[in-house]
Amino acid sequence: MENIGYYLFLLAAVVVAFLIVKKVTTCLLKSVVLIVLAIVLAAVYYYCLR
């Protein structure tokens, strides 16, 4: 019966983590797209326009 508290805590942590990831994902996704775009542009400049 001691494990029930552990599993409830684990379930609550998973739910909270999911909600936080859901809130942050849109901003994070925009940042990742911007970083990938910057890397691609830098690679094009470095390899083609040098």
Side-chain angles (χ1 to χ4, degrees):
M1 293 309 263
E2 293 176 15
N3 289 341
I4 291 176
Y6 173 74
Y7 287 122
L8 287 176
F9 174 74
L10 190 63
L11 182 65
V14 168
V15 170
V16 169
F18 176 75
L19 291 174
I20 290 173
V21 166
K22 189 176 172 185
K23 293 265 186 204
V24 172
T25 300
T26 54
C27 181
L28 189 64
L29 189 62
K30 289 177 188 174
S31 298
V32 168
V33 169
L34 187 64
I35 290 171
V36 168
L37 249 167
I39 291 172
V40 168
L41 288 174
V44 167
Y45 172 77
Y46 182 76
Y47 288 115
C48 297
L49 301 176
R50 251 184 343 147

